[in-house]
Amino acid sequence: MTNNNAQNAVVGGLIEEGEAFGRVAAFETGRQSLERSFWYSGWLLTFLATGAETNGQFALMEQVARKGNVPPRHIHHREDETFYLSEGEMTFYVGDRTIKATAGTMVFAPRDIAHSFTIDSEQVRMLVMVSPAGAEEFFKECSVPAPSMTLPPPAETPYIEIQKMMALAPTYGFEFVRPKE
């Protein structure tokens, strides 16, 4: 079935029952899901939707971190990244823009644009969506299963873990950007 605009051109249509689900399967996950949660470099990550579940369309993660635990400036060459801050305060650096974010702020970091952020409050909680999916596999590969739905104990990321992340980054289309001198 189709809809037509005033010039009688097709503008969209109704989807027959089941048609859309051939592309993305319906699924349900819970926020407090220990089996879907990992400790990544001082963060608690919960995978709410993965590429395997969305047919590669997107991945959605809830991420919790404390002040001082921030990524280096980096570029995603394969996906866009969208952040929705639900608790806390952060400062995002996307390209040449600086964006102060509080709870309820959404920040979009397009692919091929360098970005990073700092955590300004003691702790933050945010939803992070990557589209298309794929980047979530990097986080899984550099993580350990969370033993509880808490942040890992404060600790500096071991150098061997940083080396692993640097080595894996190109596999997932990431590029770490050296600071400007």
Side-chain angles (χ1 to χ4, degrees):
M1 219 183 259
T2 59
N3 294 325
N4 298 332
N5 64 11
Q7 289 78 34
N8 206 27
V10 176
V11 293
L14 298 175
I15 296 173
E16 296 297 325
E17 186 174 343
E19 182 180 338
F21 297 113
R23 289 178 274 140
V24 177
F27 63 93
E28 175 182 331
T29 61
R31 177 174 153 188
Q32 297 296 322
S33 177
L34 187 58
E35 62 274 1
R36 297 175 68 93
S37 297
F38 295 81
W39 281 356
Y40 165 79
S41 191
W43 292 67
L44 172 65
L45 305 182
T46 302
F47 294 92
L48 302 175
T50 65
E53 295 163 327
T54 67
N55 199 27
Q57 298 297 306
F58 70 94
L60 181 65
M61 300 162 272
E62 180 182 62
Q63 300 184 356
V64 181
R66 61 177 60 87
K67 190 173 194 171
N69 197 322
V70 297
R73 194 163 175 84
H74 61 283
I75 300 169
H76 296 266
H77 291 291
R78 297 182 186 159
E79 61 278 318
D80 299 320
E81 193 169 23
T82 304
F83 304 87
Y84 178 80
L85 188 61
S86 57
E87 294 175 17
E89 297 177 2
M90 300 175 71
T91 302
F92 287 86
Y93 307 95
V94 181
D96 293 333
R97 292 194 60 199
T98 299
I99 303 164
K100 292 293 224 176
T102 57
T105 301
M106 184 174 74
V107 175
F108 178 69
R111 72 188 76 191
D112 296 323
I113 302 294
H115 62 280
S116 189
F117 53 78
T118 58
I119 299 171
D120 303 325
S121 56
E122 290 305 310
Q123 183 173 306
V124 296
R125 180 181 306 269
M126 62 182 161
L127 295 175
V128 179
M129 184 176 76
V130 292
S131 177
E136 77 278 13
E137 296 302 325
F138 171 85
F139 293 113
K140 285 182 183 179
E141 199 164 337
C142 295
S143 300
V144 297
S148 64
M149 294 299 291
T150 60
L151 284 171
E156 191 169 314
T157 303
Y159 183 67
I160 194 161
E161 288 298 312
I162 293 171
Q163 285 180 310
K164 179 180 180 179
M165 288 183 237
M166 296 292 286
L168 283 173
T171 303
Y172 291 96
F174 295 3
E175 176 186 345
F176 292 102
V177 180
R178 293 178 185 238
K180 294 178 183 175
E181 296 181 20

